[in-house]
Amino acid sequence: MALIQSVKAIQVLDSRGLPTVSCKITLDNGITASSTVPSGASTGTKEALELRDGGDFYKGKGVEKAVNNINTLINPLLEKLDPRDQQLIDQKLIDLDGTKDKSNIGANAILAVSLAVSHAAAKDNNVSLHEHFLEIYHNITGQKVNPSLPMPMLNILNGGEHADNNIDIQEFMIIPKGANTFKEAMRWSSEIYWNLKSILKEKKLSTGVGDEGGFAPNLQSNEEAIKLIIEAINASNLIPGEDVFIALDCAASEFYDGTKYNLAGENKSLDSTAFANYLEELVDKYPIISIEDGMDENDNEGWKILTEKIGSRCQLVGDDLFVTNKTIFQEGINNNLANSILIKFNQIGSITETIETIQIANKHSYKSIISHRSGETEDTTISDLAVGLGAGQIKTGAPCRSDRVAKYNRLLWIEEESPNINLSQ
Ligand code: 2PG
Ligand code: MG
């Protein structure tokens, strides 16, 4: 049983070319395991703090402080600990930080270590990371879950904060729900993606991509984006609403001014009820089965209206609303807000806390969707997390760009190597 010998971090770059934390753990039997943390752009205000250096280098976005915290404070703290004790190690990191939002040591420092610990334990136990996560879930919650391959949600048209176009809704995703295997889901998605590219080209629209690999053309309206995607699904000989469905991430906090939802691209300024009506119309007209952050993170009244209106026939996902924080999430559940939660481990900062939040979702029959951030790296931990916890869904961008496809490719390997684990429907 190997123990932690050293924890070492350096600053590396993410998919946007901005610094992020990478961490390597060495066990006393020579096993090493690494991790790299993601970073968001349309962040919720209640997320755990990503420690940035300020100053001139990297436009203030350096993470040398977080890196130093790992090398000087966390390294001695974890020496000789058993990497299988994920909960104990995460608690030590949380206590070392001592703040609610991890602003002292930095959520990026803490998460990098927390992830690397899980990788090291899996390697030392000689099990796949997803098998290890299944076990951690059991250790932490006392409950068992069934592993499954997550249904992917692929963001093939980007707007909002992730692109320089005029589209206000941040993400237009496809869900290849009719696919029987993950492999088939990815083939369909890639074919739709490529057909969308041809359609955009034909219409003389831009085929440049946004931060998550989806196309980012200028369009007349959000509805036009949906129509183009429907066209691409049809062009792939697939049936919209039968084989493939649509999901949106409005990231509505980004265009809410405190009273109105301002759709600048459509010259519309709508109050909560009017914006809920706007979304309801889209759900009525198109095979949209999931809407994330359909209201601002502080607009509880708006969330109530939206949930009452379409919550029974549409997955309503809280991202900025819940920020993977179990306390905030529990309050939201008590108020009947949304019916699903987006899970991003860097919003809260450790594996243990992420799992606790998923446990609450399971208890209250809220769906969990494991998610990437718009700033990503080659790290594929979220793929294993989605499988091991049987979350059922993952969203990790377009079937394009290595930072996105790395996650899908990892899932293709898991499917190949685990014949007993099936695609969640
Ligand atoms: C989101 C995410 C990921 P960001 O809003 O769901 O798609 O974006 O990482 O910029 O918060
Ligand atoms: Mg979101």
Side-chain angles (χ1 to χ4, degrees):
M1 198 181 65
L3 303 178
I4 294 173
Q5 189 174 66
S6 67
V7 186
K8 162 96 185 140
I10 63 166
Q11 174 171 283
V12 297
L13 297 182
D14 71 14
S15 56
R16 279 194 276 253
L18 291 173
T20 190
V21 182
S22 184
C23 172
K24 185 186 271 185
I25 287 195
T26 305
L27 304 183
D28 58 13
N29 62 357
I31 281 181
T32 63
S34 347
S35 68
T36 308
V37 300
S39 171
S42 65
T43 47
T45 56
K46 296 165 204 145
E47 292 191 17
L49 185 111
E50 194 176 63
L51 195 61
R52 299 275 181 192
D53 298 338
D56 293 337
F57 285 8
Y58 287 109
K59 297 186 171 296
K61 297 273 193 185
V63 292
E64 292 292 3
K65 284 183 189 163
V67 162
N68 283 338
N69 287 341
I70 294 178
N71 292 335
T72 59
L73 301 174
I74 297 178
N75 178 39
L77 185 74
L78 300 196
E79 209 189 327
K80 296 203 167 57
L81 293 185
D82 187 337
R84 278 151 282 256
D85 289 337
Q86 184 80 46
Q87 209 174 355
L88 178 128
I89 290 175
D90 286 343
Q91 195 54 53
K92 274 190 181 288
L93 297 171
I94 292 164
D95 293 344
L96 172 72
D97 177 81
T99 66
K100 255 193 164 160
D101 62 355
K102 302 191 173 63
S103 50
N104 199 358
I105 303 293
N108 42 354
I110 293 174
L111 181 67
V113 176
S114 183
L115 297 183
V117 164
S118 66
H119 281 262
K123 269 192 175 177
D124 192 42
N125 283 349
N126 216 2
V127 296
S128 286
L129 186 59
H130 61 87
E131 294 172 298
H132 181 60
F133 280 135
L134 183 114
E135 204 183 309
I136 301 184
Y137 186 88
H138 184 221
N139 292 345
I140 292 177
T141 67
Q143 285 150 12
K144 294 223 154 129
V145 282
N146 291 322
S148 62
L149 282 150
M151 179 55 66
M153 304 169 89
L154 301 103
N155 178 10
I156 61 172
L157 207 145
N158 295 185
E161 286 298 297
H162 297 165
D164 279 334
N165 57 359
N166 65 347
I167 300 297
D168 297 299
I169 289 184
Q170 180 178 280
E171 301 171 24
F172 296 83
M173 293 170 273
I174 46 170
I175 310 180
K177 237 180 160 357
N180 289 313
T181 61
F182 192 79
K183 199 173 171 173
E184 188 171 46
M186 289 314 295
R187 177 172 66 79
W188 289 5
S189 303
S190 162
E191 288 171 6
I192 295 166
Y193 183 80
W194 274 91
N195 281 322
L196 179 58
K197 185 170 186 171
S198 306
I199 291 165
L200 293 174
K201 243 187 180 160
E202 261 167 41
K203 296 187 194 293
K204 307 240 173 324
L205 293 165
S206 164
T207 56
V209 300
D211 286 0
E212 300 188 346
F215 301 111
N218 280 320
L219 301 172
Q220 300 298 323
S221 63
N222 292 303
E223 190 168 348
E224 192 190 349
I226 298 169
K227 282 186 181 154
L228 287 165
I229 290 175
I230 300 276
E231 216 181 312
I233 297 171
N234 285 323
S236 311
N237 294 321
L238 293 163
I239 306 171
E242 211 174 297
D243 300 318
V244 183
F245 293 79
I246 291 177
L248 306 176
D249 179 3
C250 299
S253 301
E254 302 297 326
F255 51 83
Y256 185 64
D257 64 10
T259 46
K260 292 279 169 57
Y261 292 88
N262 298 303
L263 301 174
E266 297 178 23
N267 226 345
K268 282 185 182 144
S269 189
L270 308 172
D271 65 17
S272 305
T273 306
F275 190 52
N277 289 339
Y278 174 95
L279 293 174
E280 186 182 26
E281 266 173 42
L282 290 179
V283 170
D284 285 342
K285 252 172 125 173
Y286 301 100
I288 296 171
I289 54 167
S290 179
I291 299 179
E292 180 183 329
D293 282 350
M295 290 283 155
D296 171 75
E297 61 179 37
N298 293 314
D299 183 12
N300 278 7
E301 279 316 303
W303 271 103
K304 275 184 199 158
I305 295 166
L306 186 67
T307 309
E308 269 165 33
K309 228 179 227 307
I310 53 174
S312 60
R313 58 199 168 106
C314 188
Q315 176 169 272
L316 296 178
V317 188
D319 169 15
D320 292 352
L321 179 69
F322 299 140
V323 291
T324 317
N325 179 310
K326 65 176 176 185
T327 314
I328 296 173
F329 182 33
Q330 188 63 59
E331 273 169 33
I333 294 173
N334 297 346
N335 285 322
N336 290 322
L337 307 186
N339 54 34
S340 308
I341 179 170
L342 201 77
I343 300 289
K344 293 165 163 169
F345 43 38
N346 82 323
Q347 284 182 325
I348 189 68
S350 73
I351 288 284
T352 299
E353 291 161 293
T354 302
I355 286 178
E356 286 170 351
T357 301
I358 293 174
Q359 182 193 14
I360 293 177
N362 290 343
K363 188 172 154 202
H364 294 276
S365 300
Y366 271 56
K367 297 267 170 55
S368 297
I369 297 127
I370 309 294
S371 172
H372 67 158
R373 298 306 308 242
S374 51
E376 267 294 338
T377 70
E378 64 279 17
D379 190 296
T380 61
T381 311
I382 58 167
S383 304
D384 286 81
L385 191 73
V387 173
L389 271 47
Q393 296 171 83
I394 192 169
K395 76 158 192 173
T396 184
C400 173
R401 304 284 144 179
S402 295
D403 39 300
R404 311 298 143 183
V405 297
K407 280 69 165 173
Y408 296 125
N409 291 346
R410 169 70 186 141
L411 290 164
L412 287 166
W413 270 111
I414 294 175
E415 179 171 68
E416 180 68 27
E417 292 175 346
S418 321
N420 296 330
I421 301 182
N422 295 319
L423 178 62
S424 178
Q425 294 296 329

PDB file of all heavy atoms in Angstrom, residues 9-13 19-23 35-38 51-52 63-64 66-67 70 108-110 112-113 377:
ATOM      1  N   ALA A   9       3.569  21.018  -8.223  1.00  0.00           N
ATOM      2  CA  ALA A   9       2.722  21.697  -9.227  1.00  0.00           C
ATOM      3  C   ALA A   9       3.547  22.619 -10.099  1.00  0.00           C
ATOM      4  O   ALA A   9       4.601  23.111  -9.678  1.00  0.00           O
ATOM      5  CB  ALA A   9       1.631  22.495  -8.523  1.00  0.00           C
ATOM      6  N   ILE A  10       3.059  22.838 -11.312  1.00  0.00           N
ATOM      7  CA  ILE A  10       3.610  23.876 -12.177  1.00  0.00           C
ATOM      8  C   ILE A  10       2.451  24.614 -12.864  1.00  0.00           C
ATOM      9  O   ILE A  10       1.306  24.157 -12.835  1.00  0.00           O
ATOM     10  CB  ILE A  10       4.579  23.332 -13.262  1.00  0.00           C
ATOM     11  CG1 ILE A  10       3.862  22.390 -14.238  1.00  0.00           C
ATOM     12  CG2 ILE A  10       5.794  22.658 -12.650  1.00  0.00           C
ATOM     13  CD1 ILE A  10       4.670  22.096 -15.501  1.00  0.00           C
ATOM     14  N   GLN A  11       2.812  25.749 -13.471  1.00  0.00           N
ATOM     15  CA  GLN A  11       1.822  26.496 -14.243  1.00  0.00           C
ATOM     16  C   GLN A  11       1.878  26.017 -15.699  1.00  0.00           C
ATOM     17  O   GLN A  11       2.960  25.954 -16.277  1.00  0.00           O
ATOM     18  CB  GLN A  11       2.166  27.982 -14.146  1.00  0.00           C
ATOM     19  CG  GLN A  11       1.318  28.880 -15.014  1.00  0.00           C
ATOM     20  CD  GLN A  11       1.577  30.349 -14.697  1.00  0.00           C
ATOM     21  OE1 GLN A  11       1.105  30.886 -13.702  1.00  0.00           O
ATOM     22  NE2 GLN A  11       2.346  31.009 -15.541  1.00  0.00           N
ATOM     23  N   VAL A  12       0.731  25.667 -16.259  1.00  0.00           N
ATOM     24  CA  VAL A  12       0.669  25.279 -17.675  1.00  0.00           C
ATOM     25  C   VAL A  12      -0.407  26.143 -18.352  1.00  0.00           C
ATOM     26  O   VAL A  12      -0.962  27.039 -17.714  1.00  0.00           O
ATOM     27  CB  VAL A  12       0.338  23.769 -17.835  1.00  0.00           C
ATOM     28  CG1 VAL A  12       1.426  22.897 -17.233  1.00  0.00           C
ATOM     29  CG2 VAL A  12      -1.024  23.434 -17.227  1.00  0.00           C
ATOM     30  N   LEU A  13      -0.706  25.872 -19.606  1.00  0.00           N
ATOM     31  CA  LEU A  13      -1.710  26.681 -20.313  1.00  0.00           C
ATOM     32  C   LEU A  13      -2.973  25.880 -20.609  1.00  0.00           C
ATOM     33  O   LEU A  13      -2.912  24.666 -20.820  1.00  0.00           O
ATOM     34  CB  LEU A  13      -1.136  27.205 -21.629  1.00  0.00           C
ATOM     35  CG  LEU A  13       0.054  28.161 -21.509  1.00  0.00           C
ATOM     36  CD1 LEU A  13       0.494  28.638 -22.888  1.00  0.00           C
ATOM     37  CD2 LEU A  13      -0.278  29.363 -20.628  1.00  0.00           C
ATOM     38  N   PRO A  19      -3.056  30.691 -18.227  1.00  0.00           N
ATOM     39  CA  PRO A  19      -2.433  29.796 -17.255  1.00  0.00           C
ATOM     40  C   PRO A  19      -3.437  29.008 -16.419  1.00  0.00           C
ATOM     41  O   PRO A  19      -4.529  29.498 -16.113  1.00  0.00           O
ATOM     42  CB  PRO A  19      -1.664  30.762 -16.340  1.00  0.00           C
ATOM     43  CG  PRO A  19      -1.449  31.976 -17.155  1.00  0.00           C
ATOM     44  CD  PRO A  19      -2.671  32.100 -18.019  1.00  0.00           C
ATOM     45  N   THR A  20      -3.047  27.791 -16.078  1.00  0.00           N
ATOM     46  CA  THR A  20      -3.816  26.995 -15.134  1.00  0.00           C
ATOM     47  C   THR A  20      -2.847  26.091 -14.363  1.00  0.00           C
ATOM     48  O   THR A  20      -1.668  26.026 -14.685  1.00  0.00           O
ATOM     49  CB  THR A  20      -4.939  26.192 -15.830  1.00  0.00           C
ATOM     50  OG1 THR A  20      -5.794  25.631 -14.828  1.00  0.00           O
ATOM     51  CG2 THR A  20      -4.408  25.071 -16.703  1.00  0.00           C
ATOM     52  N   VAL A  21      -3.386  25.429 -13.341  1.00  0.00           N
ATOM     53  CA  VAL A  21      -2.532  24.654 -12.437  1.00  0.00           C
ATOM     54  C   VAL A  21      -2.481  23.193 -12.873  1.00  0.00           C
ATOM     55  O   VAL A  21      -3.517  22.571 -13.123  1.00  0.00           O
ATOM     56  CB  VAL A  21      -3.087  24.710 -10.995  1.00  0.00           C
ATOM     57  CG1 VAL A  21      -2.186  23.938 -10.038  1.00  0.00           C
ATOM     58  CG2 VAL A  21      -3.250  26.149 -10.539  1.00  0.00           C
ATOM     59  N   SER A  22      -1.271  22.652 -12.929  1.00  0.00           N
ATOM     60  CA  SER A  22      -1.104  21.223 -13.168  1.00  0.00           C
ATOM     61  C   SER A  22      -0.329  20.643 -11.989  1.00  0.00           C
ATOM     62  O   SER A  22       0.597  21.265 -11.478  1.00  0.00           O
ATOM     63  CB  SER A  22      -0.331  20.997 -14.471  1.00  0.00           C
ATOM     64  OG  SER A  22      -0.258  19.609 -14.738  1.00  0.00           O
ATOM     65  N   CYS A  23      -0.747  19.458 -11.559  1.00  0.00           N
ATOM     66  CA  CYS A  23      -0.169  18.892 -10.339  1.00  0.00           C
ATOM     67  C   CYS A  23       0.237  17.440 -10.570  1.00  0.00           C
ATOM     68  O   CYS A  23      -0.461  16.695 -11.267  1.00  0.00           O
ATOM     69  CB  CYS A  23      -1.243  18.976  -9.245  1.00  0.00           C
ATOM     70  SG  CYS A  23      -0.830  18.125  -7.739  1.00  0.00           S
ATOM     71  N   SER A  35      -2.766  15.828 -12.849  1.00  0.00           N
ATOM     72  CA  SER A  35      -4.066  16.431 -13.141  1.00  0.00           C
ATOM     73  C   SER A  35      -3.828  17.848 -13.629  1.00  0.00           C
ATOM     74  O   SER A  35      -2.759  18.416 -13.375  1.00  0.00           O
ATOM     75  CB  SER A  35      -4.908  16.501 -11.867  1.00  0.00           C
ATOM     76  OG  SER A  35      -4.304  17.442 -10.999  1.00  0.00           O
ATOM     77  N   THR A  36      -4.806  18.393 -14.334  1.00  0.00           N
ATOM     78  CA  THR A  36      -4.760  19.809 -14.716  1.00  0.00           C
ATOM     79  C   THR A  36      -6.168  20.353 -14.563  1.00  0.00           C
ATOM     80  O   THR A  36      -7.132  19.682 -14.962  1.00  0.00           O
ATOM     81  CB  THR A  36      -4.286  19.966 -16.174  1.00  0.00           C
ATOM     82  OG1 THR A  36      -3.069  19.242 -16.331  1.00  0.00           O
ATOM     83  CG2 THR A  36      -4.025  21.417 -16.512  1.00  0.00           C
ATOM     84  N   VAL A  37      -6.312  21.552 -13.998  1.00  0.00           N
ATOM     85  CA  VAL A  37      -7.662  22.037 -13.705  1.00  0.00           C
ATOM     86  C   VAL A  37      -8.206  22.941 -14.816  1.00  0.00           C
ATOM     87  O   VAL A  37      -7.461  23.651 -15.476  1.00  0.00           O
ATOM     88  CB  VAL A  37      -7.751  22.767 -12.335  1.00  0.00           C
ATOM     89  CG1 VAL A  37      -7.370  21.850 -11.203  1.00  0.00           C
ATOM     90  CG2 VAL A  37      -6.913  24.016 -12.315  1.00  0.00           C
ATOM     91  N   PRO A  38      -9.536  22.892 -15.002  1.00  0.00           N
ATOM     92  CA  PRO A  38     -10.187  23.731 -16.009  1.00  0.00           C
ATOM     93  C   PRO A  38     -10.526  25.115 -15.461  1.00  0.00           C
ATOM     94  O   PRO A  38     -10.325  25.377 -14.273  1.00  0.00           O
ATOM     95  CB  PRO A  38     -11.460  22.945 -16.303  1.00  0.00           C
ATOM     96  CG  PRO A  38     -11.798  22.310 -14.991  1.00  0.00           C
ATOM     97  CD  PRO A  38     -10.491  22.027 -14.300  1.00  0.00           C
ATOM     98  N   LEU A  51      -7.656  31.229  -7.753  1.00  0.00           N
ATOM     99  CA  LEU A  51      -6.621  32.193  -7.357  1.00  0.00           C
ATOM    100  C   LEU A  51      -5.778  32.607  -8.562  1.00  0.00           C
ATOM    101  O   LEU A  51      -5.175  31.765  -9.224  1.00  0.00           O
ATOM    102  CB  LEU A  51      -5.735  31.564  -6.273  1.00  0.00           C
ATOM    103  CG  LEU A  51      -4.837  32.521  -5.485  1.00  0.00           C
ATOM    104  CD1 LEU A  51      -5.643  33.563  -4.727  1.00  0.00           C
ATOM    105  CD2 LEU A  51      -3.957  31.724  -4.510  1.00  0.00           C
ATOM    106  N   ARG A  52      -5.761  33.901  -8.854  1.00  0.00           N
ATOM    107  CA  ARG A  52      -4.971  34.461  -9.954  1.00  0.00           C
ATOM    108  C   ARG A  52      -3.985  35.467  -9.382  1.00  0.00           C
ATOM    109  O   ARG A  52      -4.263  36.106  -8.368  1.00  0.00           O
ATOM    110  CB  ARG A  52      -5.885  35.160 -10.969  1.00  0.00           C
ATOM    111  CG  ARG A  52      -6.909  34.237 -11.629  1.00  0.00           C
ATOM    112  CD  ARG A  52      -6.332  33.531 -12.819  1.00  0.00           C
ATOM    113  NE  ARG A  52      -7.295  32.661 -13.470  1.00  0.00           N
ATOM    114  CZ  ARG A  52      -6.960  31.764 -14.401  1.00  0.00           C
ATOM    115  NH1 ARG A  52      -5.692  31.634 -14.776  1.00  0.00           N
ATOM    116  NH2 ARG A  52      -7.868  31.009 -14.952  1.00  0.00           N
ATOM    117  N   VAL A  63      -1.046  31.866 -12.376  1.00  0.00           N
ATOM    118  CA  VAL A  63      -1.493  31.076 -11.218  1.00  0.00           C
ATOM    119  C   VAL A  63      -0.290  30.623 -10.374  1.00  0.00           C
ATOM    120  O   VAL A  63      -0.334  29.595  -9.717  1.00  0.00           O
ATOM    121  CB  VAL A  63      -2.349  29.852 -11.636  1.00  0.00           C
ATOM    122  CG1 VAL A  63      -3.682  30.289 -12.202  1.00  0.00           C
ATOM    123  CG2 VAL A  63      -1.612  28.967 -12.631  1.00  0.00           C
ATOM    124  N   GLU A  64       0.781  31.419 -10.401  1.00  0.00           N
ATOM    125  CA  GLU A  64       1.983  31.040  -9.644  1.00  0.00           C
ATOM    126  C   GLU A  64       1.716  30.992  -8.135  1.00  0.00           C
ATOM    127  O   GLU A  64       2.299  30.188  -7.420  1.00  0.00           O
ATOM    128  CB  GLU A  64       3.139  32.014  -9.934  1.00  0.00           C
ATOM    129  CG  GLU A  64       3.691  31.936 -11.359  1.00  0.00           C
ATOM    130  CD  GLU A  64       4.436  30.628 -11.688  1.00  0.00           C
ATOM    131  OE1 GLU A  64       4.491  29.716 -10.837  1.00  0.00           O
ATOM    132  OE2 GLU A  64       4.943  30.524 -12.819  1.00  0.00           O
ATOM    133  N   ALA A  66      -1.061  30.025  -6.665  1.00  0.00           N
ATOM    134  CA  ALA A  66      -1.715  28.729  -6.405  1.00  0.00           C
ATOM    135  C   ALA A  66      -0.689  27.600  -6.498  1.00  0.00           C
ATOM    136  O   ALA A  66      -0.670  26.682  -5.670  1.00  0.00           O
ATOM    137  CB  ALA A  66      -2.858  28.507  -7.411  1.00  0.00           C
ATOM    138  N   VAL A  67       0.175  27.685  -7.490  1.00  0.00           N
ATOM    139  CA  VAL A  67       1.230  26.676  -7.667  1.00  0.00           C
ATOM    140  C   VAL A  67       2.141  26.652  -6.426  1.00  0.00           C
ATOM    141  O   VAL A  67       2.451  25.581  -5.883  1.00  0.00           O
ATOM    142  CB  VAL A  67       2.043  26.989  -8.961  1.00  0.00           C
ATOM    143  CG1 VAL A  67       3.377  26.270  -8.969  1.00  0.00           C
ATOM    144  CG2 VAL A  67       1.221  26.613 -10.199  1.00  0.00           C
ATOM    145  N   ILE A  70       0.675  24.933  -3.455  1.00  0.00           N
ATOM    146  CA  ILE A  70       0.787  23.467  -3.516  1.00  0.00           C
ATOM    147  C   ILE A  70       2.198  23.039  -3.115  1.00  0.00           C
ATOM    148  O   ILE A  70       2.385  22.155  -2.264  1.00  0.00           O
ATOM    149  CB  ILE A  70       0.452  22.939  -4.937  1.00  0.00           C
ATOM    150  CG1 ILE A  70      -1.032  23.196  -5.254  1.00  0.00           C
ATOM    151  CG2 ILE A  70       0.788  21.446  -5.062  1.00  0.00           C
ATOM    152  CD1 ILE A  70      -1.483  22.770  -6.642  1.00  0.00           C
ATOM    153  N   ASN A 108      -8.357  26.438  -7.349  1.00  0.00           N
ATOM    154  CA  ASN A 108      -7.590  25.787  -8.417  1.00  0.00           C
ATOM    155  C   ASN A 108      -6.449  24.942  -7.841  1.00  0.00           C
ATOM    156  O   ASN A 108      -6.158  23.848  -8.338  1.00  0.00           O
ATOM    157  CB  ASN A 108      -7.077  26.812  -9.445  1.00  0.00           C
ATOM    158  CG  ASN A 108      -6.542  28.093  -8.847  1.00  0.00           C
ATOM    159  OD1 ASN A 108      -6.632  28.303  -7.637  1.00  0.00           O
ATOM    160  ND2 ASN A 108      -5.999  28.960  -9.679  1.00  0.00           N
ATOM    161  N   ALA A 109      -5.814  25.425  -6.751  1.00  0.00           N
ATOM    162  CA  ALA A 109      -4.745  24.644  -6.110  1.00  0.00           C
ATOM    163  C   ALA A 109      -5.340  23.394  -5.469  1.00  0.00           C
ATOM    164  O   ALA A 109      -4.856  22.268  -5.657  1.00  0.00           O
ATOM    165  CB  ALA A 109      -4.044  25.496  -5.055  1.00  0.00           C
ATOM    166  N   ILE A 110      -6.420  23.583  -4.725  1.00  0.00           N
ATOM    167  CA  ILE A 110      -7.026  22.466  -3.982  1.00  0.00           C
ATOM    168  C   ILE A 110      -7.551  21.402  -4.947  1.00  0.00           C
ATOM    169  O   ILE A 110      -7.312  20.202  -4.766  1.00  0.00           O
ATOM    170  CB  ILE A 110      -8.148  22.989  -3.052  1.00  0.00           C
ATOM    171  CG1 ILE A 110      -7.498  23.850  -1.955  1.00  0.00           C
ATOM    172  CG2 ILE A 110      -8.954  21.850  -2.441  1.00  0.00           C
ATOM    173  CD1 ILE A 110      -8.471  24.561  -1.050  1.00  0.00           C
ATOM    174  N   ALA A 112      -6.641  20.780  -8.057  1.00  0.00           N
ATOM    175  CA  ALA A 112      -5.553  20.079  -8.770  1.00  0.00           C
ATOM    176  C   ALA A 112      -5.041  18.920  -7.926  1.00  0.00           C
ATOM    177  O   ALA A 112      -4.830  17.810  -8.416  1.00  0.00           O
ATOM    178  CB  ALA A 112      -4.425  21.053  -9.089  1.00  0.00           C
ATOM    179  N   VAL A 113      -4.888  19.164  -6.626  1.00  0.00           N
ATOM    180  CA  VAL A 113      -4.367  18.122  -5.726  1.00  0.00           C
ATOM    181  C   VAL A 113      -5.423  17.036  -5.532  1.00  0.00           C
ATOM    182  O   VAL A 113      -5.130  15.836  -5.612  1.00  0.00           O
ATOM    183  CB  VAL A 113      -3.955  18.743  -4.372  1.00  0.00           C
ATOM    184  CG1 VAL A 113      -3.510  17.660  -3.404  1.00  0.00           C
ATOM    185  CG2 VAL A 113      -2.854  19.779  -4.586  1.00  0.00           C
ATOM    186  N   THR A 377      -8.355  21.501 -20.691  1.00  0.00           N
ATOM    187  CA  THR A 377      -7.038  20.951 -21.010  1.00  0.00           C
ATOM    188  C   THR A 377      -7.233  19.504 -21.452  1.00  0.00           C
ATOM    189  O   THR A 377      -8.366  19.047 -21.615  1.00  0.00           O
ATOM    190  CB  THR A 377      -6.121  20.941 -19.778  1.00  0.00           C
ATOM    191  OG1 THR A 377      -6.612  19.957 -18.868  1.00  0.00           O
ATOM    192  CG2 THR A 377      -6.070  22.298 -19.095  1.00  0.00           C
TER     193      THR A 377
END
